[in-house]
Amino acid sequence: EIVLTQSPGTLSLSPGERAALSCRASQSVSSNYLAWYHQKPGQAPRLLIYGASSRATGIPDRFSGSGSGTDFTLTISRLEPEDFAVYYCQQYSTSPFTFGGGTKVEI
Amino acid sequence: QIQLQESGPGLVKPSETLSLTCIVSDYSIKSGFYWGWIRQPPGKGLEWIGSIHHSGGNYRNPSLKSRVSISVDMSKNQFSLRLNSVTAADTAVYYCARMGPGAHDSFDVWGQGTLVTVSS
């Protein structure tokens, strides 16, 4: 099983600042089958990035994904108030598909 | 616009079987996509349970495999989850979601989730 480790656990920032979230895999994620989601309290996760760097439909361009192999990053260029949430990475290259433990982005 | 809605009992007794259905609206389940179940214990992270294709091909998380069955009903445009021999550790919000057209894809559309509590 591929274990995904996200860091930091919590990121305290202000609106307008840049956020960089890390996701490290215990073994290589083939074909860059790595996705990012965010989740607000009481809501389902929402897909932001798939294929490590492709934005999902309707996702603003302040969100960008990068990385390959075992190291991936989600960058939010300028935080908007609605971006404060928990962010999860997920690998779908190898079954069982696994999620990271999450990074909370808080004000 | 595609919508997914989970339905099923919110309370299940220990050792019994948890049964949930995901009703898919405004999209045919036969369109060739995979469909999945994910759960989230209260205050914790996400765990993939398993996924199924409309053809019936499916794969499950080995940690749950012996207790999980996933099926699809094309006539009702829905798919279902059964988890037997439940314990308190199975208490979670259960989500159904659409994957992409391949067996290796992200989850691009999610249901709102349903809380299932295992308790006597």
Side-chain angles (χ1 to χ4, degrees), chain B residues 2-9 18-29 34-38 50 52 69-82 94-99 107 109-114:
Chain B
I2 179 175
Q3 291 188 330
L4 284 71
Q5 178 68 57
E6 304 87 354
S7 67
L18 179 160
S19 295
L20 295 173
T21 296
C22 182
I23 301 167
V24 181
S25 304
D26 295 323
Y27 194 89
S28 173
I29 209 165
Y34 278 78
W35 307 86
W37 289 97
I38 304 99
I52 190 166
S69 66
I70 300 174
S71 60
V72 63
D73 186 337
M74 286 187 286
S75 67
K76 295 182 179 178
N77 212 44
Q78 64 187 37
F79 60 104
S80 299
L81 168 71
R82 287 173 60 86
Y94 286 76
Y95 296 100
C96 61
R98 186 183 76 172
M99 291 173 61
F107 296 100
V109 182
W110 294 63
Q112 65 184 27
T114 187

Side-chain angles (χ1 to χ4, degrees), chain A residues 14-105:
Chain A
S14 299
E17 290 192 298
R18 179 177 176 273
L21 286 64
S22 172
C23 177
R24 181 161 292 178
S26 60
Q27 56 188 277
S28 184
V29 177
S30 60
S31 305
N32 285 346
Y33 284 159
L34 192 287
W36 290 93
Y37 304 82
H38 72 183
Q39 185 179 34
K40 299 176 185 178
Q43 296 184 18
R46 181 182 182 186
L47 178 66
L48 301 171
I49 301 287
Y50 64 94
S53 61
S54 298
R55 273 188 299 277
T57 302
I59 301 303
D61 61 7
R62 65 179 180 273
F63 291 92
S64 62
S66 62
S68 64
T70 61
D71 287 294
F72 299 88
T73 301
L74 174 71
T75 301
I76 311 170
S77 58
R78 294 172 311 279
L79 283 164
E80 297 287 340
E82 62 267 28
D83 299 336
F84 292 91
V86 179
Y87 289 77
Y88 294 98
C89 58
Q90 179 224 350
Q91 66 81 21
Y92 49 96
S93 72
T94 305
S95 181
F97 302 153
T98 49
F99 292 84
T103 290
K104 182 178 182 181
V105 178

